[in-house]
């Protein structure tokens, strides 16, 4: 699914990622943990093609293709999805128009015809139920005036609409109360299949009680310093990063 | 110069859908209890178009209302200036202006908004808003609100800003698979949305949406060597 080899990346001349190696297979869930400033969010930004970052070395193969040579929108259409840590508010652009543009861009990329208005609304309804997203929110402008929990739920709703192969959840647990966390995690789990994969970026064990990872990686100072099973997250919870990094 | 009088109690709607030498300059006097709504659309295709639009409106009778709504997409080497002058010469008048421009390529835009409230024109309510987006580094927009308020019991406000497309919104949309040009169109349609809704006619609104989309995707003037 995803192969990251010796990935180095910098922002404004400062190197943040210093040689990341990571293999992610279909059906797997990987957690990436680490202290602030370790490069967790940089990794998701670089994988999705955020123009603020520059890749200085290394390669990334996504489903047999060179990911880094693709534009951000092509990466998305190829099945890469990022649940943003800070989802962006877009006043005046309705969720419906936004999602229709996204879904049909992906369908065109796959050689499929655009969905009719009826088919599209039916799909919206079905996916909304998955994350218990209120119909009223779906009628509003993208993320405008949404609470923190509603924004994260809306991210998972978009993930459900786009059915990505690889989803990166960047601190999806931040700012969520326990009920919202459960709804979001259940949504993610329902979307999980043997054909797709998930990267969960988080500070805390808490989210991993709900989304159970197959592998846990500790990122520190731009490199993966330890990899283990789900028990590594528990160990981390007890010893803190100081005991491991 | 087109001269016009909106008579007592009349409601008039002036739509300037294409800017030309014939449609650019207006001098309008409003009598009492009249309502004038002006819609101005600067969506010219000619890459060298150069126009000075002047809307000179005087409220000469009490309880008149003036509404000016405008939008423009300036491209190529176009040079468009819009000058509104709204004169409240008598008490109890209302006016509202909302003008938005997107400027691309090497186009130059200018907005001069004169709002004059005469000394005895008490209880005037006047608003003026001008918002602009620059779509290329070479595009420029000059905005100059000019309020001359000589009466003391009035409600007047104005706002002007010039910025760029929100890059974080653009990237967010790209991450969902939306091409940058489509994303820009959605963002600009959102930018113009409040001006378009003042038309109150969905069919006309839709036609203008299409013209906006065309103006945005129009090939740039031949600026490359």
């Amino acid at each position: 699914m995803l192969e990251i080899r010796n990935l180095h990346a910098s922002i404004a001349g400062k190197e943040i990622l210093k040689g990341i190696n990571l293999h992610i297979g279909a059906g797997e869930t990987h957690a990436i943990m680490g202290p602030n400033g370790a490069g967790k969010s940089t990794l998701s930004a670089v994988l999705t093609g955020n123009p603020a970052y520059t890749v200085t070395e290394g390669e990334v193969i996504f489903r047999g293709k060179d990911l880094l040579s693709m534009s951000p929108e092509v990466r998305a259409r190829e099945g890469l999805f990022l649940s943003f840590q800070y989802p962006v508010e877009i006043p005046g652009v309705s969720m419906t128009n936004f999602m229709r543009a996204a879904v049909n861009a992906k369908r065109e990329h796959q050689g499929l015809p655009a969905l009719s208005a009826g088919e599209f609304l039916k799909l919206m309804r079905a996916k909304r139920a998955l994350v218990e997203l209120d119909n009223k929110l779906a009628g509003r402008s993208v993320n405008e005036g949404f609470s923190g929990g509603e924004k994260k739920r809306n991210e998972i709703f978009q993930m459900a609409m786009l059915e990505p192969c690889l989803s990166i959840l960047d601190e999806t647990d931040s700012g969520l109360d326990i009920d919202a966390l459960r709804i979001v995690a259940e949504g993610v789990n329902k979307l999980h299949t043997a054909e797709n994969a998930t990267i969960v970026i988080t500070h805390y064990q808490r989210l991993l009680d709900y989304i159970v990872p197959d592998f846990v990686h500790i990122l520190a100072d731009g490199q993966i310093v330890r990899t283990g099973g789900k028990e590594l997250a528990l160990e981390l919870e007890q010893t803190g990063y100081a005991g491991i990094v | 110069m087109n001269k016009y009088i909106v008579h007592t109690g009349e409601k008039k709607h002036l739509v300037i859908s294409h800017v030309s030498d014939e449609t650019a300059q207006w001098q309008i006097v409003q009598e009492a209890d009249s309502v004038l709504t002006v819609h101005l659309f600067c969506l010219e295709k000619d890459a060298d178009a150069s126009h000075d639009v002047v809307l000179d409106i005087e409220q000469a009778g009490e309880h008149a209302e003036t509404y000016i709504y405008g939008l423009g997409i300036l491209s190529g080497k176009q040079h468009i200036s819009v000058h509104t002058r709204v004169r409240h010469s008598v008490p109890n008048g209302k006016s509202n202006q909302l003008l938005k421009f997107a400027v691309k390529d090497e186009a130059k835009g200018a907005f001069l908004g004169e709002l004059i409230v005469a000394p005895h024109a008490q209880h005037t309510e006047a608003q003026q808003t001008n918002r602009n987006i620059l779509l290329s580094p070479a595009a420029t927009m000059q905005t100059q609100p000019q309020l001359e308020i000589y009466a003391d019991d009035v409600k007047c406000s104005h706002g002007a800003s010039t910025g760029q497309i929100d890059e974080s919104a653009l990237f967010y949309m790209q991450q969902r698979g939306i091409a940058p040009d489509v994303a820009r169109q959605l963002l600009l349609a959102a930018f113009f949305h409040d001006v378009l809704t003042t038309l109150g006619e969905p069919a006309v609104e839709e036609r203008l949406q299409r013209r906006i989309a065309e103006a945005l995707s129009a090939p740039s003037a031949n600026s490359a060597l």
Side-chain angles (χ1 to χ4, degrees):
Chain A
M1 172 78 65
L2 186 78
E3 185 79 43
I4 303 176
R5 296 187 195 119
N6 191 33
L7 183 65
H8 291 249
S10 61
I11 183 164
K14 188 178 188 302
E15 187 169 57
I16 309 285
L17 300 184
K18 302 172 179 175
I20 303 268
N21 293 286
L22 188 61
H23 171 89
I24 293 175
E28 295 175 356
T29 298
H30 290 243
I32 296 181
M33 304 182 75
N36 279 328
K40 301 190 298 294
S41 286
T42 299
L43 181 60
S44 65
V46 167
L47 290 178
T48 51
N50 188 318
Y53 295 86
T54 311
V55 173
T56 50
E57 210 181 322
E59 62 175 350
V60 181
I61 307 299
F62 179 49
R63 300 171 71 216
K65 294 178 186 167
D66 175 10
L67 183 74
L68 300 178
S69 68
M70 299 176 199
S71 65
E73 63 274 18
V74 171
R75 297 179 197 201
R77 293 172 198 159
E78 285 281 323
L80 181 64
F81 181 89
L82 171 63
S83 170
F84 284 67
Q85 184 179 0
Y86 304 108
V88 181
E89 296 194 15
I90 314 178
V93 176
S94 72
M95 271 304 297
T96 308
N97 284 346
F98 173 61
M99 273 337 291
R100 187 183 289 127
V103 167
N104 285 332
K106 178 165 186 176
R107 288 180 66 86
E108 192 185 343
H109 186 72
Q110 294 171 325
L112 298 168
L115 289 181
S116 72
E119 288 168 327
F120 177 75
L121 290 174
K122 210 170 137 198
L123 183 69
M124 289 271 282
R125 255 200 311 279
K127 301 299 185 181
R128 220 169 50 220
L130 194 80
V131 285
E132 301 174 33
L133 189 74
D134 201 295
N135 189 19
K136 270 181 263 163
L137 294 184
R140 296 228 302 258
S141 292
V142 180
N143 292 321
E144 192 185 27
F146 287 29
S147 70
E150 286 166 348
K151 281 181 183 167
K152 294 301 169 83
R153 233 184 274 186
N154 192 23
E155 293 293 285
I156 306 307
F157 164 68
Q158 294 172 44
M159 177 177 156
M161 288 291 290
L162 294 166
E163 299 181 333
C165 306
L166 177 63
S167 301
I168 305 171
L169 310 180
D170 191 358
E171 308 233 0
T172 293
D173 48 344
S174 72
L176 289 192
D177 62 37
I178 203 77
D179 290 329
L181 183 70
R182 182 185 51 76
I183 292 166
V184 163
E186 278 173 8
V188 171
N189 288 334
K190 280 184 214 159
L191 295 172
H192 189 69
T193 69
E195 281 79 46
N196 61 27
T198 311
I199 298 175
V200 182
I201 295 176
T202 182
H203 273 285
Y204 304 108
Q205 159 64 23
R206 192 176 70 155
L207 180 63
L208 304 180
D209 288 338
Y210 294 92
I211 303 172
V212 180
D214 302 299
F215 300 93
V216 174
H217 310 277
I218 311 293
L219 190 64
D221 193 25
Q223 289 186 318
I224 290 175
V225 294
R226 255 187 89 176
T227 292
K230 61 175 187 271
E231 66 287 348
L232 180 55
L234 290 168
E235 183 189 334
L236 198 64
E237 193 80 348
Q238 286 171 1
T239 61
Y241 291 111
I244 286 178
V245 175
Chain B
M1 180 75 76
N2 299 285
K3 294 191 180 185
Y4 203 84
I5 295 171
V6 188
H7 294 288
T8 303
E10 271 187 343
K11 277 189 182 177
K12 286 287 173 192
H13 190 187
L14 170 64
V15 181
I16 305 168
S17 62
H18 290 278
V19 179
S20 68
D21 292 345
E22 286 73 39
T23 63
Q25 313 224 330
W26 294 81
Q27 195 178 63
I28 301 172
V29 176
Q30 285 186 254
E31 295 181 349
D33 300 303
S34 65
V35 179
L36 171 67
T37 305
V38 181
H39 277 98
L40 169 67
F41 300 105
C42 305
L43 298 165
E44 301 318 306
K45 287 178 179 162
D46 176 5
D48 291 316
S50 173
H51 296 288
D52 291 318
V53 179
V54 177
L55 298 170
D56 183 345
I57 297 158
E58 180 179 14
Q59 292 188 355
E62 289 196 33
H63 298 285
E65 297 175 23
T66 310
Y67 303 98
I68 303 175
Y69 304 109
L71 65 83
I73 296 170
L74 280 47
S75 60
K77 291 177 186 291
Q78 287 180 358
H79 201 309
I80 308 284
S81 83
V82 175
H83 177 184
T84 64
R85 182 190 293 135
V86 175
R87 284 182 287 165
H88 289 273
S89 302
V90 294
N92 299 310
K94 265 190 200 172
S95 69
N96 187 15
Q97 303 180 53
L98 175 64
L99 295 107
K100 292 189 165 186
F101 297 92
V103 189
K104 51 187 247 181
D105 306 330
E106 296 166 58
K108 287 179 170 33
F111 172 71
L112 168 60
E114 267 186 279
L115 182 62
I116 303 159
V117 180
H120 55 281
Q122 301 295 4
H123 309 296
T124 294
E125 286 180 31
Q127 280 175 292
Q128 182 195 85
T129 308
N130 170 230
R131 306 261 176 253
N132 311 299
I133 288 188
L134 300 178
L135 296 172
S136 87
T140 63
M141 182 77 202
Q142 240 182 30
T143 174
Q144 193 184 341
Q146 195 172 309
L147 278 67
E148 295 175 34
I149 298 166
Y150 301 105
D152 52 12
D153 188 10
V154 300
K155 279 187 203 160
C156 295
S157 65
H158 77 100
S161 66
T162 298
Q164 270 114 35
I165 284 264
D166 179 355
E167 289 294 325
S168 61
L170 196 61
F171 180 70
Y172 187 72
M173 295 170 96
Q174 278 180 276
Q175 209 305 300
R176 299 303 185 242
I178 301 170
D181 56 337
V182 175
R184 270 189 205 99
Q185 270 187 24
L186 283 169
L187 290 170
L188 284 164
F191 173 67
F192 289 127
H193 181 75
D194 54 355
V195 177
L196 287 179
T197 52
T198 61
L199 279 162
E201 285 180 56
V204 184
E205 234 177 89
E206 221 167 275
R207 210 175 64 223
L208 275 157
Q209 288 283 17
R210 274 202 301 279
R211 277 182 70 196
I212 288 171
E214 277 168 29
L216 287 171
S217 56
S220 305
N222 199 6
S223 54
L225 289 175

